[in-house]
mmCIF file of all heavy atoms in Angstrom:
data_model
loop_
_atom_site.group_PDB
_atom_site.id
_atom_site.type_symbol
_atom_site.label_atom_id
_atom_site.label_comp_id
_atom_site.label_asym_id
_atom_site.label_seq_id
_atom_site.Cartn_x
_atom_site.Cartn_y
_atom_site.Cartn_z
ATOM 1 N N VAL A 1118 76.224 70.686 160.343
ATOM 2 C CA VAL A 1118 77.421 70.771 161.181
ATOM 3 C C VAL A 1118 77.140 71.632 162.418
ATOM 4 O O VAL A 1118 77.593 71.324 163.530
ATOM 5 C CB VAL A 1118 78.608 71.341 160.379
ATOM 6 C CG1 VAL A 1118 79.824 71.543 161.278
ATOM 7 C CG2 VAL A 1118 78.971 70.414 159.223
ATOM 8 N N ALA A 1119 76.373 72.713 162.230
ATOM 9 C CA ALA A 1119 76.025 73.601 163.349
ATOM 10 C C ALA A 1119 75.237 72.849 164.417
ATOM 11 O O ALA A 1119 75.473 73.013 165.618
ATOM 12 C CB ALA A 1119 75.214 74.790 162.846
ATOM 13 N N ALA A 1120 74.280 72.029 163.988
ATOM 14 C CA ALA A 1120 73.473 71.261 164.937
ATOM 15 C C ALA A 1120 74.342 70.288 165.734
ATOM 16 O O ALA A 1120 74.180 70.140 166.951
ATOM 17 C CB ALA A 1120 72.371 70.506 164.191
ATOM 18 N N LEU A 1121 75.297 69.645 165.055
ATOM 19 C CA LEU A 1121 76.199 68.717 165.737
ATOM 20 C C LEU A 1121 77.110 69.446 166.723
ATOM 21 O O LEU A 1121 77.359 68.962 167.834
ATOM 22 C CB LEU A 1121 77.045 67.964 164.702
ATOM 23 C CG LEU A 1121 76.306 66.929 163.843
ATOM 24 C CD1 LEU A 1121 77.241 66.379 162.770
ATOM 25 C CD2 LEU A 1121 75.779 65.794 164.720
ATOM 26 N N ALA A 1122 77.598 70.614 166.319
ATOM 27 C CA ALA A 1122 78.470 71.388 167.208
ATOM 28 C C ALA A 1122 77.738 71.771 168.487
ATOM 29 O O ALA A 1122 78.290 71.668 169.598
ATOM 30 C CB ALA A 1122 78.972 72.636 166.485
ATOM 31 N N SER A 1123 76.487 72.214 168.347
ATOM 32 C CA SER A 1123 75.711 72.623 169.515
ATOM 33 C C SER A 1123 75.440 71.447 170.442
ATOM 34 O O SER A 1123 75.484 71.582 171.675
ATOM 35 C CB SER A 1123 74.390 73.264 169.069
ATOM 36 O OG SER A 1123 74.636 74.452 168.343
ATOM 37 N N LEU A 1124 75.155 70.282 169.860
ATOM 38 C CA LEU A 1124 74.950 69.090 170.685
ATOM 39 C C LEU A 1124 76.227 68.721 171.439
ATOM 40 O O LEU A 1124 76.179 68.314 172.609
ATOM 41 C CB LEU A 1124 74.501 67.918 169.812
ATOM 42 C CG LEU A 1124 73.064 67.971 169.279
ATOM 43 C CD1 LEU A 1124 72.821 66.820 168.305
ATOM 44 C CD2 LEU A 1124 72.059 67.924 170.430
ATOM 45 N N ALA A 1125 77.372 68.868 170.766
ATOM 46 C CA ALA A 1125 78.646 68.563 171.415
ATOM 47 C C ALA A 1125 78.903 69.502 172.584
ATOM 48 O O ALA A 1125 79.333 69.071 173.667
ATOM 49 C CB ALA A 1125 79.783 68.638 170.398
ATOM 50 N N PHE A 1126 78.625 70.798 172.406
ATOM 51 C CA PHE A 1126 78.781 71.748 173.510
ATOM 52 C C PHE A 1126 77.796 71.434 174.645
ATOM 53 O O PHE A 1126 78.134 71.537 175.829
ATOM 54 C CB PHE A 1126 78.564 73.181 173.023
ATOM 55 C CG PHE A 1126 79.774 73.814 172.400
ATOM 56 C CD1 PHE A 1126 79.743 74.248 171.081
ATOM 57 C CD2 PHE A 1126 80.941 73.990 173.132
ATOM 58 C CE1 PHE A 1126 80.862 74.836 170.500
ATOM 59 C CE2 PHE A 1126 82.063 74.585 172.560
ATOM 60 C CZ PHE A 1126 82.029 75.006 171.231
ATOM 61 N N ALA A 1127 76.581 71.053 174.276
ATOM 62 C CA ALA A 1127 75.556 70.794 175.290
ATOM 63 C C ALA A 1127 75.961 69.675 176.230
ATOM 64 O O ALA A 1127 75.736 69.758 177.448
ATOM 65 C CB ALA A 1127 74.224 70.466 174.612
ATOM 66 N N TYR A 1128 76.573 68.616 175.680
ATOM 67 C CA TYR A 1128 76.836 67.427 176.490
ATOM 68 C C TYR A 1128 78.313 67.216 176.798
ATOM 69 O O TYR A 1128 78.689 66.170 177.346
ATOM 70 C CB TYR A 1128 76.265 66.203 175.781
ATOM 71 C CG TYR A 1128 74.756 66.244 175.701
ATOM 72 C CD1 TYR A 1128 74.115 66.449 174.480
ATOM 73 C CD2 TYR A 1128 73.976 66.111 176.844
ATOM 74 C CE1 TYR A 1128 72.720 66.508 174.406
ATOM 75 C CE2 TYR A 1128 72.584 66.167 176.779
ATOM 76 C CZ TYR A 1128 71.969 66.366 175.555
ATOM 77 O OH TYR A 1128 70.599 66.434 175.488
ATOM 78 N N ALA A 1129 79.156 68.193 176.464
ATOM 79 C CA ALA A 1129 80.587 68.062 176.749
ATOM 80 C C ALA A 1129 80.835 67.999 178.253
ATOM 81 O O ALA A 1129 80.347 68.839 179.014
ATOM 82 C CB ALA A 1129 81.347 69.240 176.140
ATOM 83 N N GLN A 1130 81.578 66.996 178.656
ATOM 84 C CA GLN A 1130 81.963 66.843 180.062
ATOM 85 C C GLN A 1130 83.476 66.746 180.221
ATOM 86 O O GLN A 1130 83.993 66.944 181.316
ATOM 87 C CB GLN A 1130 81.305 65.596 180.657
ATOM 88 C CG GLN A 1130 79.796 65.666 180.723
ATOM 89 C CD GLN A 1130 79.301 66.757 181.656
ATOM 90 O OE1 GLN A 1130 79.919 67.054 182.681
ATOM 91 N NE2 GLN A 1130 78.181 67.386 181.300
ATOM 92 N N GLY A 1131 84.166 66.427 179.148
ATOM 93 C CA GLY A 1131 85.618 66.265 179.203
ATOM 94 C C GLY A 1131 86.309 66.988 178.072
ATOM 95 O O GLY A 1131 85.670 67.595 177.199
ATOM 96 N N LEU A 1132 87.622 66.902 178.062
ATOM 97 C CA LEU A 1132 88.437 67.645 177.110
ATOM 98 C C LEU A 1132 88.186 67.217 175.669
ATOM 99 O O LEU A 1132 88.062 68.061 174.774
ATOM 100 C CB LEU A 1132 89.923 67.463 177.452
ATOM 101 C CG LEU A 1132 90.924 68.171 176.532
ATOM 102 C CD1 LEU A 1132 90.705 69.678 176.555
ATOM 103 C CD2 LEU A 1132 92.352 67.824 176.949
ATOM 104 N N ALA A 1133 88.096 65.904 175.412
ATOM 105 C CA ALA A 1133 87.963 65.411 174.038
ATOM 106 C C ALA A 1133 86.685 65.933 173.380
ATOM 107 O O ALA A 1133 86.702 66.399 172.231
ATOM 108 C CB ALA A 1133 87.980 63.889 174.022
ATOM 109 N N THR A 1134 85.559 65.849 174.102
ATOM 110 C CA THR A 1134 84.292 66.321 173.543
ATOM 111 C C THR A 1134 84.307 67.829 173.341
ATOM 112 O O THR A 1134 83.794 68.338 172.332
ATOM 113 C CB THR A 1134 83.119 65.944 174.463
ATOM 114 O OG1 THR A 1134 83.157 64.560 174.739
ATOM 115 C CG2 THR A 1134 81.786 66.280 173.799
ATOM 116 N N LEU A 1135 84.918 68.555 174.272
ATOM 117 C CA LEU A 1135 84.989 70.009 174.149
ATOM 118 C C LEU A 1135 85.829 70.407 172.943
ATOM 119 O O LEU A 1135 85.452 71.313 172.187
ATOM 120 C CB LEU A 1135 85.566 70.620 175.419
ATOM 121 C CG LEU A 1135 85.504 72.148 175.521
ATOM 122 C CD1 LEU A 1135 84.055 72.633 175.488
ATOM 123 C CD2 LEU A 1135 86.197 72.624 176.799
ATOM 124 N N ILE A 1136 86.949 69.738 172.722
ATOM 125 C CA ILE A 1136 87.774 70.015 171.545
ATOM 126 C C ILE A 1136 86.981 69.727 170.274
ATOM 127 O O ILE A 1136 86.997 70.502 169.312
ATOM 128 C CB ILE A 1136 89.072 69.180 171.584
ATOM 129 C CG1 ILE A 1136 90.009 69.716 172.671
ATOM 130 C CG2 ILE A 1136 89.767 69.196 170.222
ATOM 131 C CD1 ILE A 1136 91.263 68.885 172.859
ATOM 132 N N GLY A 1137 86.282 68.573 170.264
ATOM 133 C CA GLY A 1137 85.456 68.241 169.100
ATOM 134 C C GLY A 1137 84.405 69.296 168.826
ATOM 135 O O GLY A 1137 84.124 69.632 167.669
ATOM 136 N N ALA A 1138 83.799 69.845 169.889
ATOM 137 C CA ALA A 1138 82.782 70.886 169.735
ATOM 138 C C ALA A 1138 83.375 72.133 169.099
ATOM 139 O O ALA A 1138 82.780 72.731 168.188
ATOM 140 C CB ALA A 1138 82.175 71.223 171.103
ATOM 141 N N PHE A 1139 84.558 72.546 169.553
ATOM 142 C CA PHE A 1139 85.198 73.729 168.982
ATOM 143 C C PHE A 1139 85.602 73.498 167.525
ATOM 144 O O PHE A 1139 85.531 74.416 166.695
ATOM 145 C CB PHE A 1139 86.414 74.142 169.815
ATOM 146 C CG PHE A 1139 86.072 75.037 170.973
ATOM 147 C CD1 PHE A 1139 85.996 74.533 172.267
ATOM 148 C CD2 PHE A 1139 85.825 76.387 170.775
ATOM 149 C CE1 PHE A 1139 85.667 75.348 173.337
ATOM 150 C CE2 PHE A 1139 85.494 77.218 171.840
ATOM 151 C CZ PHE A 1139 85.418 76.702 173.129
ATOM 152 N N VAL A 1140 86.022 72.278 167.185
ATOM 153 C CA VAL A 1140 86.368 71.950 165.796
ATOM 154 C C VAL A 1140 85.133 72.057 164.903
ATOM 155 O O VAL A 1140 85.168 72.671 163.825
ATOM 156 C CB VAL A 1140 86.998 70.548 165.705
ATOM 157 C CG1 VAL A 1140 87.103 70.094 164.247
ATOM 158 C CG2 VAL A 1140 88.376 70.537 166.357
ATOM 159 N N LEU A 1141 84.035 71.449 165.324
ATOM 160 C CA LEU A 1141 82.791 71.512 164.552
ATOM 161 C C LEU A 1141 82.279 72.943 164.445
ATOM 162 O O LEU A 1141 81.789 73.368 163.392
ATOM 163 C CB LEU A 1141 81.727 70.625 165.200
ATOM 164 C CG LEU A 1141 81.922 69.118 165.070
ATOM 165 C CD1 LEU A 1141 80.931 68.376 165.965
ATOM 166 C CD2 LEU A 1141 81.761 68.676 163.622
ATOM 167 N N TYR A 1142 82.403 73.692 165.531
ATOM 168 C CA TYR A 1142 81.968 75.087 165.535
ATOM 169 C C TYR A 1142 82.776 75.908 164.535
ATOM 170 O O TYR A 1142 82.233 76.735 163.799
ATOM 171 C CB TYR A 1142 82.120 75.651 166.949
ATOM 172 C CG TYR A 1142 81.543 77.031 167.159
ATOM 173 C CD1 TYR A 1142 80.197 77.292 166.954
ATOM 174 C CD2 TYR A 1142 82.351 78.081 167.596
ATOM 175 C CE1 TYR A 1142 79.663 78.555 167.175
ATOM 176 C CE2 TYR A 1142 81.829 79.350 167.813
ATOM 177 C CZ TYR A 1142 80.482 79.585 167.602
ATOM 178 O OH TYR A 1142 79.975 80.838 167.816
ATOM 179 N N GLY A 1143 84.086 75.666 164.467
ATOM 180 C CA GLY A 1143 84.928 76.362 163.501
ATOM 181 C C GLY A 1143 84.563 76.028 162.068
ATOM 182 O O GLY A 1143 84.522 76.907 161.194
ATOM 183 N N LEU A 1144 84.263 74.748 161.811
ATOM 184 C CA LEU A 1144 83.876 74.323 160.467
ATOM 185 C C LEU A 1144 82.539 74.944 160.069
ATOM 186 O O LEU A 1144 82.363 75.433 158.942
ATOM 187 C CB LEU A 1144 83.792 72.796 160.415
ATOM 188 C CG LEU A 1144 83.502 72.167 159.059
ATOM 189 C CD1 LEU A 1144 84.558 72.535 158.039
ATOM 190 C CD2 LEU A 1144 83.398 70.646 159.197
ATOM 191 N N TYR A 1145 81.591 74.944 160.996
ATOM 192 C CA TYR A 1145 80.265 75.523 160.735
ATOM 193 C C TYR A 1145 80.358 77.018 160.418
ATOM 194 O O TYR A 1145 79.804 77.496 159.426
ATOM 195 C CB TYR A 1145 79.370 75.279 161.939
ATOM 196 C CG TYR A 1145 78.300 76.322 162.174
ATOM 197 C CD1 TYR A 1145 77.335 76.607 161.203
ATOM 198 C CD2 TYR A 1145 78.236 77.022 163.379
ATOM 199 C CE1 TYR A 1145 76.359 77.566 161.429
ATOM 200 C CE2 TYR A 1145 77.259 77.965 163.612
ATOM 201 C CZ TYR A 1145 76.322 78.245 162.631
ATOM 202 O OH TYR A 1145 75.354 79.191 162.849
ATOM 203 N N ILE A 1146 81.088 77.769 161.245
ATOM 204 C CA ILE A 1146 81.190 79.203 161.018
ATOM 205 C C ILE A 1146 81.908 79.495 159.704
ATOM 206 O O ILE A 1146 81.566 80.439 158.985
ATOM 207 C CB ILE A 1146 81.913 79.902 162.197
ATOM 208 C CG1 ILE A 1146 81.149 79.660 163.505
ATOM 209 C CG2 ILE A 1146 82.035 81.396 161.943
ATOM 210 C CD1 ILE A 1146 79.764 80.244 163.521
ATOM 211 N N ALA A 1147 82.903 78.668 159.354
ATOM 212 C CA ALA A 1147 83.610 78.845 158.085
ATOM 213 C C ALA A 1147 82.648 78.721 156.895
ATOM 214 O O ALA A 1147 82.739 79.476 155.923
ATOM 215 C CB ALA A 1147 84.730 77.823 157.959
#
């Protein structure tokens, strides 16, 4: 999940991808 979150942050260009990145990041840290 951490690897996916980082990829989402790396390539986020819009709101939807950025929200998805923060969701994955929250799940990973949990």
Side-chain angles (χ1 to χ4, degrees):
V1118 175
L1121 289 174
S1123 296
L1124 287 174
F1126 277 120
Y1128 294 110
Q1130 295 296 326
L1132 179 61
T1134 307
L1135 189 61
I1136 289 175
F1139 274 102
V1140 169
L1141 288 170
Y1142 188 60
L1144 184 59
Y1145 150 59
I1146 301 297

